[in-house]
Amino acid sequence: MLFRSGFTGDTTLTVATNDQGATGSGGPQTDTDVIDITVTAGRQLALDGRTPVRFTDASGDTILVYLIGGTGTIFLPPGDRGDIREIVLSNTTERSMLMISGGRTTVGDITVNGPMGTISASLTTLSGTLSIGPTATTYGATTIMLDVLAEARVASQMPIGTFMANAWTDADATPDVLTAPRANMVYIRGQMQADLDLQGDSDRLNRNLGVFYALGAFNGDVTLAAGAGTMLLADWAAGTLQGTYVTSLISRGSLGAAINLTGQNPYGASISVLSVIGQVTCPSITLAGSIGAIVAGLWNVDRKSTRLNSSHTIQS
């Protein structure tokens, strides 16, 4: 069944079933069902880059959406109340700002067809995809502030200056992921159930990741084209870390990620400081350089799966 864009009205869906004789006797068994479908037009609200837009969401809260710099459209479901299905923005610049306020609400997708300076939506749950286009400037970076991400994906073609959220949850079989060329800071106050994929140009310190704070449990993969600064995690029981080097890798709980670092910092270390309060159970640790210092509550890693090219200090 195909609908033209903007279709509204009534139609039917006919479902014909044939078991090809696979069940029972008497040859193939067939059945036909007809389903009535009514397509109702949703609402669209325009963002002109100057005037705030107000609407009532599914919870009855009055939500204010304000775009500074650019134009866009808010897509809402039919009726007087409903959460945002999608926001589409165009003609934006590195100084543009999208603000969502007024109460806790949910947004499906946010599509920015260009760069974006700031997305300020600290009371908003993202349940779809946030995508941001590339920047034309050398040092342009976006700031993103959300409440919760649930079964969500963030894909930015421009570097991320700061990414902040209270939690990122993922309950389905498709991994959630944050992708960008690099990120100066990723700060998650609660659990973090998404991967980090930062494989663009590095900063002047040869890093794709400056600081990564996950103050709740983290069980994802971190893939970097270059190095990372500080990674501070409440717990990292499973996952992978791939890159060149990490200055400080700290877990307040356990550390069970497979680690593969193919480079080193100017001092010859792939990891300057590895500190784990709980148990280290990494299935493998492969480093091109040394570890400056290791502090671990309990080290339970097979020596055969731990390969270093120079000496290190272990304290437990």
Side-chain angles (χ1 to χ4, degrees):
M1 174 181 292
L2 296 176
F3 290 112
R4 69 178 185 276
S5 177
F7 171 85
T8 60
D10 297 327
T11 187
T12 59
L13 172 64
T14 300
V15 180
T17 306
N18 188 325
D19 70 355
Q20 305 294 321
T23 58
S25 59
Q29 305 295 310
T30 62
D31 181 62
T32 301
D33 297 289
V34 178
I35 303 171
D36 295 325
I37 299 174
T38 299
V39 180
T40 305
R43 294 176 291 155
Q44 297 183 17
L45 303 177
L47 295 166
D48 60 11
R50 301 181 302 275
T51 307
V53 171
R54 291 178 173 84
F55 70 95
T56 303
D57 72 357
S59 300
D61 294 326
T62 298
I63 304 302
L64 175 67
V65 181
Y66 194 9
L67 174 65
I68 301 174
T71 58
T73 304
I74 300 173
F75 294 88
L76 296 165
D80 297 331
R81 297 183 178 186
D83 294 331
I84 297 174
R85 290 176 172 173
E86 184 178 12
I87 299 175
V88 179
L89 305 179
S90 301
N91 304 311
T92 55
T93 70
E94 288 81 2
R95 297 183 178 181
S96 296
M97 177 181 290
L98 174 68
M99 294 181 289
I100 305 174
S101 62
R104 297 192 180 279
T105 192
T106 298
V107 175
D109 298 326
I110 301 176
T111 302
V112 185
N113 295 309
M116 172 58 65
T118 301
I119 295 177
S120 179
S122 57
L123 296 177
T124 298
T125 294
L126 179 72
S127 61
T129 297
L130 166 58
S131 61
I132 299 175
T135 177
T137 64
T138 303
Y139 299 104
T142 187
T143 296
I144 302 170
M145 293 175 285
L146 296 164
D147 180 15
V148 176
L149 296 93
E151 317 299 340
R153 182 176 185 271
V154 176
S156 176
Q157 295 183 53
M158 65 184 298
I160 294 175
T162 301
F163 183 93
M164 298 181 67
N166 286 321
W168 193 328
T169 63
D170 181 18
D172 63 16
T174 302
D176 292 359
V177 62
L178 185 156
T179 62
R182 64 179 182 271
N184 183 52
M185 182 174 72
V186 177
Y187 183 17
I188 309 297
R189 297 183 180 91
Q191 61 181 322
M192 172 61 170
Q193 298 178 337
D195 299 335
L196 295 183
D197 189 352
L198 308 172
Q199 299 193 65
D201 293 335
S202 59
D203 64 13
R204 60 185 179 83
L205 298 177
N206 196 29
R207 303 179 309 184
N208 290 104
L209 179 60
V211 176
F212 177 32
Y213 291 149
L215 305 186
F218 174 57
N219 290 321
D221 299 332
V222 177
T223 305
L224 310 173
T230 298
M231 301 178 66
L232 175 59
L233 313 165
D235 189 82
W236 194 0
T240 62
L241 170 59
Q242 299 183 59
T244 56
Y245 77 91
V246 177
T247 301
S248 299
L249 176 55
I250 303 168
S251 175
R252 295 176 177 175
S254 65
L255 179 64
I259 299 174
N260 182 21
L261 299 176
T262 60
Q264 50 194 288
N265 64 18
Y267 305 100
S270 293
I271 303 177
S272 297
V273 177
L274 175 61
S275 177
V276 182
I277 294 177
Q279 185 176 15
V280 179
T281 60
C282 304
S284 63
I285 300 176
T286 304
L287 308 177
S290 65
I291 297 180
I294 300 176
V295 180
L298 179 62
W299 186 272
N300 189 23
V301 179
D302 188 345
R303 288 184 180 181
K304 294 181 181 179
S305 66
T306 304
R307 297 193 295 275
L308 314 176
N309 75 355
S310 59
S311 62
H312 57 276
T313 301
I314 298 179
Q315 177 182 342
S316 61

